[in-house]
């Protein structure tokens, strides 16, 4: 692995802006994110909601903002490492080693509320069946072609995947623990009037199969009756958990689950900065608008640490030839 000038942990809007600004400053950059795509919460949690407090956009859909920020953030071709949780940190000569493989001279943590991981259903053998018929969300629709698919959840993810997979799968069954849904009304209306089979007031309590999932036990939440339900695949969409997790073991000063920084956005560890929702200082405001400013400052400070002759403020982008 190449040693980069900067590793950004968290590819949400603030991390993406840090990547852009570091690119402008001629730094080599790597972005690490636990999610399968860039954009952070804008993409994972509320893609269809409007954001009203982005400068220059009276109103913009979160997914559109994420797409534009990803375009801006990747224009200097940073190395992008997705579905990777930053777990270990080791100091090295002139920098750090993350996860025993990513060498870097400086680090900006822009991990928002922390690394996201899908909520598990919490049944026996769950770990054993991951990737063998059990999936959290959908990576590749083609996997479900001609299959009997069971989708768990009552939110937008579950409903969106029901509608998406219906024309591809042989059958789609939605299992939800009650009869009210969090998903958008229109998605609920479409699913209810489609051939999706509903198993309401039910939860998956057992997984069965030899090489891969062949069936599940459904338990009725009220009557506690069990039903054997044959299926080729189970797609779990019951939300995400976010946690600072392993970052807490790095020796960073943490206050109320956030990383303490000084006026340069530097943590108590040299050349490790924290910006955006993950950091805390007196007067902290959790907005993308303030987070991107913090990112620009942290990048410029990191630049001067790497090159003592570099100016802190490089001048305005309108005067640069990008
Ligand atoms: P979510 O909205 O948090 O819904 C999770 C669903 O899983 C809920 O129906 C919940 O049931 C159920 N659930 C939670 N824990 C469970 C458990 N242990 N066992 C069984 N069921 C359980 O998650 P999501 O659907 O992934 O959506 C996350 C966010 O992203 C939401 O804000 C959503 O609007 C957004 N999103 C939006 C879109 C879109 O706009 N098209 C697409 C995807 C996601 P209860 O309702 O009973 O609690």
């Amino acid at each position: 692995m190449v040693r980069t000038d900067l590793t950004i942990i968290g590819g949400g809007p603030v991390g993406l802006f840090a990547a852009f600004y570091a690119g402008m400053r001629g730094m080599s950059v790597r972005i690490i994110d636990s999610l399968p795509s860039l954009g952070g919460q804008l993409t994972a949690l509320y893609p269809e909601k409007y954001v009203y407090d982005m400068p220059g956009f009276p109103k913009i859909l979160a997914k559109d903002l994420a797409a534009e920020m990803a375009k801006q953030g990747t224009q200097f071709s940073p190395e992008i490492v997705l579905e990777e949780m930053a777990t270990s940190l080791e100091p090295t000569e002139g920098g750090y080693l993350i996860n025993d493989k990513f060498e870097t001279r400086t680090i900006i943590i822009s991990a928002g509320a922390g690394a996201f991981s899908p909520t598990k259903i919490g049944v026996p053998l769950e770990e054993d069946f991951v990737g063998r018929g059990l999936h959290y969300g959908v990576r590749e629709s083609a996997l479900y072609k001609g299959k009997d698919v069971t989708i768990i959840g009552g939110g937008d993810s579950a409903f969106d995947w029901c509608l998406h997979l219906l024309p591809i799968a042989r059958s789609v069954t939605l299992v939800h623990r009650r009869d009210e849904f969090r998903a958008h009304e229109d998605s609920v209306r479409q699913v209810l009037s489609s051939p999706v089979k509903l198993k309401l007031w039910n939860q998956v309590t057992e997984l069965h199969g030899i090489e891969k999932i062949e069936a599940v036990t459904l338990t009725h939440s009220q009557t506690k009756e069990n039903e054997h339900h044959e299926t080729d695949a189970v797609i779990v969409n019951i939300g995400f958990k976010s946690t600072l997790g392993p970052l807490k073991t790095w020796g960073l000063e943490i206050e109320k689950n956030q990383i303490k920084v000084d006026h340069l956005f530097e943590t108590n560890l040299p050349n490790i900065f924290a910006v955006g929702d993950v950091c805390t200082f007196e007067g902290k405001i959790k907005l993308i608008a303030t987070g991107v400013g913090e990112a620009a400052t942290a990048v410029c400070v990191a630049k001067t640490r790497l090159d003592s002759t570099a100016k802190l403020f490089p001048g305005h982008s309108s005067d640069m030839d990008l």
Side-chain angles (χ1 to χ4, degrees), residues 40 68-69 74 120 147 192 194 200-201 205 209 287 290:
E68 291 299 318
M69 294 204 78
T74 56
K120 311 257 156 109
K147 300 274 171 69
L192 295 186
S194 78
L200 302 182
W201 296 107
T205 50
L287 291 177
T290 50

Side-chain angles (χ1 to χ4, degrees), residues 233-292:
V234 174
I235 303 172
V236 181
N237 289 287
I238 60 171
F240 296 92
K241 285 193 175 116
S242 62
T243 167
L244 277 188
L247 293 182
K248 283 188 171 167
T249 66
W250 286 14
L252 295 159
E253 204 177 329
I254 308 272
E255 191 179 273
K256 291 190 187 149
N257 226 25
Q258 281 147 353
I259 301 169
K260 276 185 88 172
V261 291
D262 63 15
H263 65 292
L264 301 177
F265 302 101
E266 194 166 22
T267 68
N268 57 311
L269 300 182
N271 294 337
I272 301 189
F273 303 82
V275 295
D277 287 2
V278 80
C279 78
T280 185
F281 55 89
E282 194 188 345
K284 169 71 192 172
I285 304 286
K286 289 189 179 186
L287 291 177
I288 296 175
T290 50
V292 295

Side-chain angles (χ1 to χ4, degrees), residues 108-122:
I108 292 182
I109 303 172
S110 48
F116 280 96
S117 55
T119 309
K120 311 257 156 109
I121 41 179

Side-chain angles (χ1 to χ4, degrees), residues 41 43-49 63 119-122 152-161 175-178 180-184 187 202-204 237-240:
Q41 295 189 27
T43 317
L45 292 191
Y46 47 94
E48 304 288 341
K49 288 190 182 162
K63 65 178 181 186
T119 309
K120 311 257 156 109
I121 41 179
I152 308 176
D156 279 310
S157 301
F159 275 75
D160 283 2
W161 288 123
V175 177
H176 181 41
R177 64 182 175 185
R178 55 190 185 121
E180 283 174 55
F181 311 106
R182 292 170 193 259
H184 285 112
S187 311
N202 268 286
Q203 289 196 258
V204 170
N237 289 287
I238 60 171
F240 296 92

Side-chain angles (χ1 to χ4, degrees), residues 4 7 36 40 52 57 103 141 150 170 172-173 241 244 256 260 275 298 308 322:
T4 51
T7 293
Y52 298 93
F57 296 96
E103 277 197 75
S141 321
T150 300
R170 182 163 60 191
V172 176
T173 302
K241 285 193 175 116
L244 277 188
K256 291 190 187 149
K260 276 185 88 172
V275 295
S308 57
L322 293 182

